[in-house]
Each structure stands twice: as structure tokens, then as C-alpha cells.
Amino acid sequence: MPDTTYLVAAVLISAAVTWALRALPFAALAPLRASGTVQYLSTRMPAGLMVILVVYCLRDLPLTHARAAAPLAALTVTVGLHLWRRNALLSILGGTAVHVALASTVFAR
């Protein structure tokens, strides 16, 4: 059986390491908030990530098959809703609803 002092020290060291690992991101975040690079990336990254996700999701989509209609219709609805209302939540929910409805009914395999 390990010594009580050893067990207490192990628990205290584990607690200190856990606390430090959780506090470190907040300490590193403070100087980055004033950075011009981070501010530039915060305005450009969301659109860039969305383009990457769309390309990734549609890269293997066979445009000659009927099953391509559901994702393309959902993409059209998502883009249309976003251009119309400028509401990301509405756009995502609308596109998802159209895709689920078409993929599970009309274009089901």
C-alpha cells in the first residue's frame, strides 16, 4: 500500500497539471485578441471553411445520377435562404430539411 504522503502528493500534482492545462488556453488567448492576423482570420475563415466543406461533401457526387438531385437541391435552398435572410441557422435548418425530405422519400435508393 502506498504511503499517504505519496498519495496526497500525486493528487495535488494531478490537480495542478489539470488546472494548468485548462487555464493555459485562456492565458494564451489574451495577447492574441489584439493581433491583426487573428482579426483578419476571424473575418475570412468562416467563408473559407464553408467553401472547403462544400467541396469536400460534393467532390464524389456523380452529377449524372438521380441521387445527386437531393444534395444539389439542398445546397440551392441553403444558399438561397442565406442570401435572402442572412440567417445561418435558418439556412442550415432549411437545407438540412430539404435534403432529408428528398433523400428519404423521392430519391431513396
Side-chain angles (χ1 to χ4, degrees):
M1 183 77 176
D3 186 25
T4 304
T5 307
Y6 176 80
L7 291 175
V8 170
V11 169
L12 290 175
I13 290 171
S14 298
V17 168
T18 301
W19 182 85
L21 288 175
R22 291 182 183 219
L24 183 64
F26 294 103
L29 185 61
L32 290 177
R33 289 183 194 245
S35 169
T37 304
V38 172
Q39 290 176 356
Y40 173 79
L41 288 175
S42 71
T43 60
R44 301 291 189 251
M45 287 292 287
L49 287 175
M50 291 307 292
V51 169
I52 290 170
L53 286 172
V54 167
V55 169
Y56 177 78
C57 291
L58 299 178
R59 75 182 192 281
D60 293 330
L61 189 65
L63 297 177
T64 57
H65 291 93
R67 66 185 177 103
L72 293 176
L75 177 63
T76 304
V77 167
T78 302
V79 170
L81 280 172
H82 190 71
L83 291 176
W84 177 48
R85 301 298 293 183
R86 298 278 184 209
N87 185 335
L89 182 61
L90 177 66
S91 304
I92 293 168
L93 290 176
T96 302
V98 167
H99 184 268
V100 168
L102 291 176
S104 64
T105 57
V106 178
F107 298 106
R109 293 182 191 178

